[in-house]
Every structure is written in structure tokens, then in C-alpha cells.
Amino acid sequence: MAGSGLSRELVLRAAVGVADEGGVGALTMRGLAESLGVEAMSLYHHVANKEAVLDGLVEVVMAEIEAAVAGLDGSGGWKAAMRRRVLAAREVLLRHPWAPGVFETRTGTSLAVAKYYDGVLALMREGGFDYELGHRALHALGSRALGFSQELFAPDGVEVPEDAVAAMAEHVPHLVAMIADASHGGAVLGWCDSQAEFEFGLDLILDGLERLRAAS
Amino acid sequence: MAGSGLSRELVLRAAVGVADEGGVGALTMRGLAESLGVEAMSLYHHVANKEAVLDGLVEVVMAEIEAAVAGLDGSGGWKAAMRRRVLAAREVLLRHPWAPGVFETRTGTSLAVAKYYDGVLALMREGGFDYELGHRALHALGSRALGFSQELFAPDGVEVPEDAVAAMAEHVPHLVAMIADASHGGAVLGWCDSQAEFEFGLDLILDGLERLRAAS
DNA sequence: ACCTGAACACCGTTCAAGT
DNA sequence: ACCTGAACACCGTTCAAGT
């Protein structure tokens, strides 16, 4: 009777909301249910278990990425098109900072992710890659094709307290000198413009691949 | 009286053993205690909490890596030396397949990891990098400097069942064609020689960096 | 000082019962 | 068909008590 109207979609949408707000650590079946105004056990009528919720999270994010990628300009050669695609995917992931961590535990089983990489491979095929180089290119890009890479320090722009840096200083003289040298730097390890760094690494790989393609 | 003689070191060594056998998922305070023939609460006299155990795990693995890297041949220029260093680190990580996942949740706070990257940066400095390019190089390498990168499919050599591949086939035509084309391939997604793929990606980045260094 | 049992506040999940 | 309360088998961790 005009009841709750719970559904798999509603559950997953709520799960994304919970994760966006508090990270995957905050995502519990009980908490998720509460955010839907329902009892925890009701969720099990729409998803098999928590693993299925996490699988669903990947699906939702991949759908957002596919939507962002769908309307993209394909001109300017494979490299330019790939660059646009990756940076569009990255923008989606930046809205869901918990997503990379979830992806890492499930790539390999997700059809949505496989489809995305299929599109990436198609783009390279059109650009003149044979399957062997395309295959290696996929591995060389790795998660960068989806717009993320492991950060070394202070992953999510976390500020490292000044005294922790001081305590480290004598053990990592080169890192300290590097920070001091950085024109854009304060004395924190979280100073990096990670977008610029991401693009640098991406271009390094794309340029390398283009060189190999041209030589093949 | 010749008692248990528990210590932080013993606890961490046992924790590595548990993780090696069953993954981090199998690592619980209660289970860890049992593997030491002790009550769970005894652990808290030697480590602050579970987070501290995970921090310690990183320390232990980094110590293994530093030991492996210490005796390495430094000849042949920065690129050759770096390649040897990264592959030596990778060998250690292959013995602890759970380690990358733990690293990803704590790089940024680990002094041991910072020290390792300090060494990597030192190597590049000696090879003629200025701090700015060295900085970018660290980000471009990312976790590859430690010997691991995100795998796209079947992360740990997990075999994807044949029927799952068949179900995917119509949605990922290029991936299917790529697999069919692969000379070394059966019809599974887990076919890759991931060591060769890792080295390909590593060399792509190292070659790109050397080009930039030489031009600078 | 180090170790322990009982207890607390959480988890995911099962099951039998409700409507 | 969908939702629920109680219960089970786990967690990490605190606390007061033992030696």
C-alpha cells in the first residue's frame, strides 16, 4: 500500500550516497538500511549480500563513467581521444574517492569494467594498434585508464602534520630537499598538484605507446 | 619463568605468517593471538591496536625490500640500477601478495616507505635528474617503484571460469579478439604473463623519463 | 610487568514469523 | 512478495582482576 518500494536500484543509489559521505568504511548493511528508513534484513530481498552491494557500487560508478565518456569528442587521433576519455573518467572518480579502493578488490569480475576496457582497446585498434601492442598498452596503463593511480603520500590530499615531517626529515634528506626545492611548495608532503602529476604520468605512457605504435 | 616471551616483533612476525597463509582477511586479533598460543587481549600489551599491526606489517615487508635492495649492483646508469631495484622489490612483494592492498591504505604515514622513495629519488639525482623531474618521476612510477601495479583482470592469477568468459564475449568483442589473437593464449582472461607485462610498463616509463632527463 | 576472562558495542547473515 | 524481530557467530576493544 504505497509502501516503501525498495529496489536494487534504490539500495545501490543509497549505498553510493553513504560511501560518498563517509567512505566504504561507513558502509554497513545496518547503516545502509537505516539511511533508507528500513530494517537491515529488508536489504537481503534486493541484494544477495554485502559483496553484491560492492559489486553494484562498481556498476553505478561505471555507468557514470560511460555516460561521461559517451559524449566525448573523438577527433585528433587516438592519443588525444584517449587522453580526453581518461580525464573524463577521472572526473567521475574524483566525485567518488572511495571508488578506486573498491575497484581494486573486484576488477576481474566486473562486466562493466571489462566493457570499459573493451572500449579503450577499440580506440587503440582504430588508432593503428595491433592486438599484441594493445594488450600491453592496457597493462601499461592499468588503472590509469580509469583515471586513478596509487598516490605515494597523503593519498586524498590529507595534510601531514608539520612535526611528523620534521621527525622524518633526517631520514629522508632527498625528499626534504625536493620539497624545499619545489617552487609551489610549503613544507608539507601533501603539497602536490595531483591532477598535474596524473596528467604527467598519463602523457608519459601515451607518448611511449605512440612511439611504439609508429615504429611497428 | 621461561614464560611466553611475547614481543612486538614476535606479534608482527606471526601476523605476516597469518597474512601469507590466508590474506589480510584472515588476520584477526583473535586469530593472531591463537596462532601465538595466547589470549587475544595479550596482544594489546605489545601493539596499540589492529591499525598498529597493519602499520607493523608494512614495516616488516619494507625491511625485507631494503635487505633485497641493499646488495644490488649499481652499475650501468640510473635506468639499469632502477630497473634492478624495482624488480628486486617486486620479488619480495610476490612472496606477500596481500602487501599491496595494505600499502595502499597506509602510504603517506609510513616512514619505511618514505625512506624507500628517498632512495629511489637519490638514485635519480645521481643519474642527473633535478628535483622537479625527480618529483614527477616519483609520481609517474607510483606504486611501480615498489614493484606492483593494479591488475585489470584476475588480479592474483585467479582463473576466470570458461562460461563466465562466454557470457561476457558478446559485450567485449575486442577483448575476446585480443585473447584469440594472443599467441600464448588459451581462452581465459587470466592468461597474462604478468611479469612480462609489468616489465613492459616499467620500461615504458623508465625510457620516457630518460628521454626527458637527456633533453633537460 | 604481563596475561586473562568477562563484557560491550559493533558486524554480516539466517531463520521463522508476520502481513 | 516483501518486510521484520530475535538470534547466531563473529569482530575490535575496554576493564577489572589476577599473577
Side-chain angles (χ1 to χ4, degrees), chain B residues 16-80:
Chain B
V16 170
V18 171
D20 283 347
E21 244 171 271
V24 251
L27 186 63
T28 66
M29 295 301 272
R30 285 169 151 98
L32 177 54
E34 194 179 10
S35 84
L36 284 159
V38 98
E39 233 41 49
M41 296 55 199
S42 306
L43 301 176
Y44 288 84
H45 291 276
H46 302 96
V47 293
N49 48 34
K50 192 178 180 182
E51 282 293 291
V53 173
L54 293 172
D55 289 342
L57 246 37
V58 171
E59 272 179 53
V60 172
V61 173
M62 287 310 302
E64 273 186 54
I65 288 178
E66 291 294 354
V69 155
L72 244 42
D73 177 14
S75 69
W78 80 271
K79 209 174 73 173

Side-chain angles (χ1 to χ4, degrees), chain A residues 30-51:
Chain A
R30 284 168 152 98
L32 176 55
E34 193 179 9
S35 84
L36 284 158
V38 97
E39 235 39 51
M41 296 55 201
S42 307
L43 302 176
Y44 288 84
H45 290 274
H46 302 97
V47 293
N49 48 34
K50 192 179 179 180
E51 282 294 290

Side-chain angles (χ1 to χ4, degrees), chain A residues 106-110, chain B residues 151-166 168 179 184-194:
Chain A
R106 4 195 56 71
T107 49
T109 42
S110 164
Chain B
E151 298 290 329
L152 318 181
F153 307 120
D156 291 308
V158 177
E159 290 278 315
V160 178
E162 192 105 17
D163 58 339
V165 176
M168 276 195 183
I179 293 166
H184 52 304
V188 287
L189 282 172
W191 82 103
C192 305
D193 177 349
S194 53

Side-chain angles (χ1 to χ4, degrees), chain A residues 74-113:
Chain A
S75 69
W78 79 270
K79 208 173 74 172
M82 180 78 80
R83 195 175 197 281
R84 274 190 295 268
R85 177 183 292 236
V86 170
L87 294 183
R90 178 175 174 82
E91 271 181 50
V92 173
L93 289 188
L94 289 177
R95 294 202 302 263
H96 307 297
W98 47 269
V102 175
F103 275 50
E104 274 155 36
T105 64
R106 4 195 56 71
T107 49
T109 42
S110 164
L111 176 60
V113 171

Side-chain angles (χ1 to χ4, degrees), chain B residues 95-186:
Chain B
R95 295 202 302 264
H96 307 296
W98 47 269
V102 176
F103 276 50
E104 275 155 36
T105 65
R106 9 197 49 72
T107 48
T109 43
S110 164
L111 176 59
V113 172
K115 270 175 166 167
Y116 178 82
Y117 279 108
D118 195 69
V120 168
L121 183 56
L123 203 84
M124 291 191 291
R125 286 288 292 171
E126 286 163 31
F129 285 65
D130 62 24
Y131 279 125
E132 182 162 349
L133 187 57
H135 175 206
R136 295 182 158 219
L138 285 186
H139 280 278
L141 284 166
S143 69
R144 265 200 177 84
L146 275 163
F148 70 96
S149 64
Q150 280 116 343
E151 298 290 329
L152 318 181
F153 307 120
D156 291 308
V158 177
E159 290 278 315
V160 178
E162 192 105 17
D163 58 339
V165 176
M168 276 195 183
E170 65 174 312
H171 299 106
V172 290
H174 292 92
L175 290 181
V176 169
M178 181 182 82
I179 293 166
D181 179 79
S183 53
H184 52 304

